[in-house]
Amino acid sequence: GNGARSPRDAARHTAGAKRHKYLRRLLHFRQMDFEFALWQMLYLFAAPQRVYRNFHYRKQTKDQWARDDPAFLVLLSVWLCASTIGFGFVLDMGFFETIKLLLWVVFIDCVGVGLLIATLMWFISNKYLVKQQNRDYDVEWGYAFDVHLNAFYPLLVILHFIQLFFINYVIIPNSVLGYFVGNTLWLVAIGYYIYVTFLGYSALPFLKNTAVLLYPFALLVLLYLISLACGWNFTKMLCSFYKYRVK
């Protein structure tokens, strides 16, 4: 546990106090460590275990698992805007259609879905995965949201950046190569999301049976094989959906 705290010290460690500190730092760019955030983004691809090792250090030094620096969120937002503009360009969308797409991707795909997944994982992990039910051993909601952001970043780069170079010339045309390349990129992206999410919760020493978070891999591979057998093109479906949403 965290040990006994004075009332004043305990007040500084409440969820509200942490949230206030985090949101306040959003207005002070000079206080953000963008270099460290870029390092995290690089290692989320190369060695995501090292990223979560730093969450351990934060717990030891600042007594919280969640990030207290919004630099990662700011850089992720920049990536999201740039990649969505590229997506709109590749799909030959107009200015206002691209703005609508950007708003949809930011507030629905990233934030909305992220809030839903983080809340669900926060509830499941605290309800079923905590070794010992105790207030000193619980998963912070902020940490659950950080895990989502960590897992979302590789997915974003694969589907909204790397995939852009293949959409018009390889994926969209009705061919076996097209849906093989597109669906394989989806397999890698969602597989990365599942794996980084698993690492995030397995890094918490007070959780048990976190291997169950890898079980969706089996369903993912099954859907991938079915899609290849049936000729479903997930990327083409996504592009059609986005074009429909921005009209």
Side-chain angles (χ1 to χ4, degrees):
N2 297 323
R5 299 194 188 106
S6 66
R8 183 178 180 181
D9 187 45
R12 290 199 300 266
H13 289 81
T14 62
K18 293 175 182 178
R19 182 171 59 251
H20 175 73
K21 180 181 178 181
Y22 185 89
L23 294 175
R24 185 179 60 189
R25 293 191 67 177
L26 274 172
L27 304 176
H28 299 86
F29 282 86
R30 293 184 179 181
Q31 296 181 9
M32 299 184 198
D33 191 348
F34 289 107
E35 183 178 351
F36 180 59
L38 284 171
W39 176 90
Q40 289 182 314
M41 288 182 166
L42 173 64
Y43 276 93
L44 281 172
F45 279 101
Q49 298 91 337
R50 293 190 61 178
V51 176
Y52 287 113
R53 204 173 300 154
N54 268 276
F55 281 78
H56 272 279
Y57 299 153
R58 184 180 300 109
K59 177 62 177 177
Q60 294 171 0
T61 57
K62 300 182 180 181
D63 197 25
Q64 70 177 65
W65 291 98
R67 289 187 177 97
D68 61 341
D69 184 353
F72 186 92
L73 178 60
V74 171
L75 288 182
L76 180 63
S77 301
V78 173
W79 257 106
L80 202 57
C81 292
S83 63
T84 302
I85 291 172
F87 215 95
F89 177 78
V90 169
L91 296 181
D92 196 26
M93 293 182 178
F95 175 77
F96 290 106
E97 290 178 332
T98 302
I99 296 299
K100 290 180 182 179
L101 175 64
L102 176 61
L103 294 175
W104 178 275
V105 171
V106 171
F107 292 105
I108 303 298
D109 290 356
C110 182
V111 177
V113 174
L115 293 175
L116 179 62
I117 293 177
T119 302
L120 182 64
M121 292 301 299
W122 169 77
F123 173 78
I124 292 175
S125 57
N126 282 314
K127 183 72 173 179
Y128 301 106
L129 301 182
V130 175
K131 295 178 183 177
Q132 179 181 350
Q133 295 296 331
N134 188 301
R135 283 188 299 178
D136 291 333
Y137 297 94
D138 66 338
V139 179
E140 303 167 9
W141 186 92
Y143 180 80
F145 190 67
D146 278 340
V147 171
H148 164 72
L149 294 181
N150 290 344
F152 183 79
Y153 173 69
L155 181 147
L156 170 69
V157 173
I158 294 170
L159 295 182
H160 275 233
F161 180 69
I162 296 176
Q163 188 172 226
L164 292 183
F165 298 97
F166 301 94
I167 286 181
N168 285 336
Y169 302 104
V170 177
I171 298 176
I172 295 298
N174 291 317
S175 66
V176 175
L177 179 62
Y179 61 76
F180 173 76
V181 172
N183 292 3
T184 300
L185 288 173
W186 276 86
L187 174 69
V188 174
I190 298 178
Y192 237 116
Y193 186 95
I194 294 172
Y195 178 62
V196 175
T197 299
F198 158 73
L199 289 178
Y201 290 95
S202 64
L204 300 179
F206 53 85
L207 295 186
K208 62 182 179 180
N209 301 326
T210 53
V212 298
L213 300 178
L214 292 175
Y215 289 177
F217 261 122
L219 178 60
L220 177 64
V221 173
L222 178 61
L223 288 175
Y224 171 72
L225 295 176
I226 292 175
S227 71
L228 294 183
C230 298
W232 295 340
N233 191 325
F234 292 147
T235 301
K236 192 172 182 178
M237 292 169 56
L238 176 70
C239 293
S240 299
F241 172 76
Y242 277 154
K243 286 184 175 180
Y244 171 77
R245 292 304 309 173
V246 300
K247 286 183 179 180

